[in-house]
Amino acid sequence: MPATVILGAQWGDEGKGKITDRYSRDADVVVRYQGGNNAGHTIVVDGERFALSLIPSGVLYPQVTPVIGNGTVVDPAVLIREMEELTARGIDPSRVRVSGNAHVIMPYHRKLDAVLERYLGEEQIGTTKRGIGPAYMDKYSRFGIRMQDLFDPKIFRKKLDVAGKDKNRQLQKVYNQLPLDIDEIYEEYLGYADELRDYVTDTSLLVWEAIHSGENVLFEGAQGTLLDIDHGTYPFVTSSNPTAGGAATGSGIGPRDIDNVIGVAKAYITRVGTGPFPTELLDETGERMIDIGGEYGVVTGRRRRTGWLDAVALRYSARVNGLTEIALTKLDILSHFGPLKIAVAYDSLGDRYDEFPRQQRVLYNCHPVYEELEGWGEDISKVDSYDDLPDAAKRYVERIEDLSGVRVSSVGVGPGREATLMRPAP
Ligand code: GDP
Ligand code: IMO
Ligand code: MG
């Protein structure tokens, strides 16, 4: 396993939490490298459900050091609450470490997120309204406040005055909103600093030392490849880099330290929020996928949009991430459907596209070219080895390998921790 990135190969919610947890049993360090509490990662252990937003999914294993890397944006109140919730459920979060360079989500970021969405009206992105985009905007405009700043009241006050006053001007003069009370924010965040002081450290060094002393390190992506700010369906994306390169920059290691990249992909596909979605099913089949697949957002409770597996997008994801393996999840849900379709190309504006189109106009007009495969029509949720899957299910998996050019190294047949059928390399 040495250093393995686990990331979303689609539009998020592929089952990254479950796969990260699966690999965490042999891990020493698990790192979140981007995003914030826009993520919702579900793990089910003995019927008990954990939904993590900021703390890496490895936290359920006592030997794991969970790390929140420099590339993330941290809402301190959410982090404290998540640690308290874990403690209340018998999980010890005291090993959590947070990068001093991670940027802090401030109240004005949350406020602006909501206001910007309202301003966009019909063009809105459908963000999670957690302040993610505005926090990254401040990071890149160099107005950001980092975790380490919270521990130096003088520096914090200075930075808060600059950033806070700027935001209040925006809120008042551009968006006609009431300003926020900077003094109140200052006091509130100094309180968080007290609670979080012991957790904040140089995580780049921590991760490097772990890798170079032979420990097993996992990097857990949030969101997904098609939500990546550079490689996703811009502008309907999140404001960070979930793709594999983000694991290096977002945790402070070099790309040569990464050995494997596992792309987590659902056996079909879903999307929350707005933006293009070539294989979207707006019919009764799509409705059934929502119901049977339980496709409701972990963070916002929104219904996810559903569609057939998109092999064009998956091949693209394999390329931009350098995937070495695919973890295919939720194959059990497809037991209820048949025949099954997989998009193998697109038709758009009179042309055929075998590769994922880079032009927004082309993408918006894509109609999938489908290949049909027979379903298996029987319950597979109790199957406990890949070899025992029905032949049609294996053909579906192997067709995904052919189309993506990447080996499927595990298949999910249920939400529980044990319901991942590993497929050792031949
Ligand atoms: P993440 O954001 O990528 O971690 O994924 P989410 O937790 O948001 O959504 C994935 C959902 O699918 C969760 O409810 C998981 O419990 C569930 N899940 C994951 N893998 C499987 C699987 O193989 N079968 C079934 N039925 N559910 C799964
Ligand atoms: P996990 O890690 C699915 C989507 C939002 C919106 C867009 C931008 O659980 O897979 P943001 O709040 O990030 O500015 O919203 O990205 N989005 C997700 N969709 N899963 C997620 O996380 C998501 N995090 C953000 O719905 O379309
Ligand atoms: Mg999720």
Side-chain angles (χ1 to χ4, degrees), residues 32 34-39 53-54 71-79 101-113 128-139 144-147 150 156 160 180 185 188-189 192 196:
R32 271 281 307 269
Q34 45 71 233
N37 59 312
N38 47 349
S53 68
L54 199 51
T72 63
V73 283
V74 177
D75 189 325
V78 172
L79 176 57
N101 287 0
H103 280 249
V104 182
I105 298 179
M106 305 297 292
Y108 42 78
H109 294 140
R110 287 193 300 268
K111 176 102 182 174
L112 273 172
D113 199 351
T128 58
K129 298 199 177 69
R130 298 301 192 267
I132 306 295
Y136 280 112
M137 279 154 69
D138 268 6
K139 171 174 176 172
I145 292 170
R146 298 189 290 175
M147 288 303 293
L150 301 181
F156 176 42
L160 179 62
L180 299 178
I185 297 175
E188 180 187 341
Y189 276 66
Y192 300 145
L196 292 174

Side-chain angles (χ1 to χ4, degrees), residues 11-13 16 38-41 125-128 222-223 237-238 272 302:
W11 275 292
D13 304 326
K16 297 176 290 295
N38 47 349
H41 297 177
I125 295 159
T127 74
T128 58
Q223 292 79 54
V237 294
T238 192
V272 205
R302 286 179 289 175

Side-chain angles (χ1 to χ4, degrees), residues 32-36 68-73 99 101-103 136 139-140 203 239-241 246 249-252:
R32 271 281 307 269
Y33 57 87
Q34 45 71 233
I68 299 175
N70 59 274
T72 63
V73 283
S99 168
N101 287 0
H103 280 249
Y136 280 112
K139 171 174 176 172
Y140 285 98
T203 53
S239 301
S240 65
N241 288 116
T249 47
S251 55

Side-chain angles (χ1 to χ4, degrees), residues 243-265:
T243 46
T249 47
S251 55
I253 55 143
R256 290 196 311 143
D257 282 327
I258 296 168
D259 302 290
N260 301 311
V261 184
I262 302 177
V264 186

Side-chain angles (χ1 to χ4, degrees), residues 317-328:
S317 182
R319 168 159 57 91
V320 298
N321 291 302
L323 296 186
T324 56
E325 297 168 36
I326 289 172
L328 193 70

Side-chain angles (χ1 to χ4, degrees), residues 12-14 16 39-42 298 304:
D13 304 326
E14 300 90 346
K16 297 176 290 295
H41 297 177
T42 318
V298 175
R304 295 172 179 154

